Amino acid sequence: MATDDRRAHDRTVVRYACRIRTPDGRVLDGCVENLGVLGALVSTSDLEAALEVSDHVILAVEVPEHGAVEVEGEILRLEQEFAEGDIRRYFAIRFNQSFAMF
C-alpha cells in the first residue's frame, strides 16, 4: 500500500487490534497498521461491509498498557490488496479529534 506524503502529522507503524463500528452499526475486527495524532491506516479481512469514502466510523483501538481507546473519524480512502495469500481491505481514517495517546 502506498504511503501518503500529504499528511500534516507523522504516523507510527503499529500492529494494534481494533474494532470498527460502521454507519449501519456493524462491527468489524481489524488491525491498525499505522497511527498518528489525527489519523490511522486500518486493515480488515472483512470484505462484506459496505463502506464508502466520507463514511463516519468509530474506531476502538486496543493499545497495549492503556486498554481500549475509542475515537470517531471519517474514511478518506479505501483500497484492497492481495498479499501473502490474503485479501485485505485498507482504509485511511481522519479523526474528528486528536488521538488520546499522542
Side-chain angles (χ1 to χ4, degrees):
M1 166 149 244
T3 58
D4 188 342
D5 293 328
R6 297 172 292 165
R7 293 184 187 128
H9 300 279
D10 289 336
R11 298 261 181 104
T12 302
V13 175
V14 296
R15 297 286 295 172
Y16 295 156
C18 69
R19 292 188 181 244
I20 305 99
R21 192 168 332 136
T22 66
D24 64 1
R26 187 169 178 183
V27 176
L28 311 175
D29 289 321
C31 180
V32 176
E33 304 284 339
N34 67 48
L35 182 62
V37 174
L38 293 175
L41 178 68
V42 177
S43 70
T44 183
S45 59
D46 188 329
L47 307 177
E48 301 290 321
L51 290 170
E52 301 288 333
V53 170
S54 80
D55 279 351
H56 291 272
V57 296
I58 298 173
L59 178 67
V61 182
E62 289 295 325
V63 179
E65 301 178 17
H66 295 282
V69 178
E70 199 169 273
V71 63
E72 294 182 33
E74 175 183 358
I75 295 178
L76 297 179
R77 183 179 71 251
L78 291 161
E79 296 181 26
Q80 289 189 115
E81 186 174 287
F82 181 78
E84 301 176 17
D86 187 25
I87 297 176
R88 309 244 352 132
R89 174 184 275 177
Y90 291 86
F91 43 98
I93 300 173
R94 178 179 53 215
F95 301 147
N96 294 345
Q97 68 275 348
S98 294
F99 189 72
M101 298 307 304
F102 290 93

